Every structure is written in C-alpha cells, then in structure tokens.
Amino acid sequence: MNGQFFEGLSDLFQPSPKQVRLQLIELRRRYSLSRAHLAAFMGTSRHTVRSWEKGLREPSGPSKRLIQMVYLRMTSDVTGNCFIL
C-alpha cells in the first residue's frame, strides 16, 4: 500500500514524459491552439513544444510542473477554459 501511495504522490508532483506529451496534445486539441500560441503562453518556442509533443526532448522539472498546472487548470470543471493561472 505504501508503495502505491508514494507512486501516486510522485505522479501528482512530477508527471511522466508520456503524461506531459498527452497533456500538451490535449490542451492544443481541446482549445484549437497552435504550437506557437501554446509556446508563447508558456514562454518557450514552438520548436520546443513540438519536441516535447513528439517525445524528442523531455521538459525540465519546472517545465513539467508548469505544463501540469496549466493542464489541470484548463481542464477543471471549475476553472476550465481560462488561461489565467
């Protein structure tokens, strides 16, 4: 039980590269965002977003957390469809 608890806790704070890719793709699909729009919002380049989505590069720890926070905020029933963090 403790192992499963800590694995779940780890996922909460540090999403896997696969989770990050899926979150980026879902955000862009759901809100019809181009890579350039999402990149501008996140303060990175379109090329970087593309590399993350394709699995060519893995975001740094802080970038993973930012992606996760944006994803959770924008897919929430309460705060969804809102680009304000």
Side-chain angles (χ1 to χ4, degrees):
M1 168 113 172
N2 285 340
Q4 289 176 336
F5 173 76
F6 288 113
E7 284 179 22
L9 197 57
S10 174
D11 287 344
L12 179 64
F13 294 112
Q14 185 74 1
S16 71
K18 181 179 179 181
Q19 287 172 315
V20 169
R21 286 195 307 273
L22 294 175
Q23 289 170 348
L24 288 168
I25 292 167
E26 172 66 14
L27 282 173
R28 289 199 326 102
R29 184 198 61 76
R30 183 181 286 210
Y31 297 102
S32 301
L33 298 172
S34 68
R35 285 185 177 127
H37 285 125
L38 187 57
F41 177 72
M42 294 186 59
T44 191
S45 72
R46 175 186 55 82
H47 178 74
T48 297
V49 171
R50 179 187 176 277
S51 295
W52 290 343
E53 286 182 354
K54 299 278 185 186
L56 303 173
R57 290 183 51 201
E58 184 178 335
S60 66
S63 294
K64 284 182 188 179
R65 185 67 176 126
L66 175 61
I67 293 163
Q68 183 184 43
M69 289 171 59
V70 169
Y71 178 80
L72 292 173
R73 175 78 179 221
M74 298 221 22
T75 58
S76 165
D77 290 337
V78 176
T79 60
N81 208 16
C82 178
F83 264 109
I84 300 170
L85 294 176

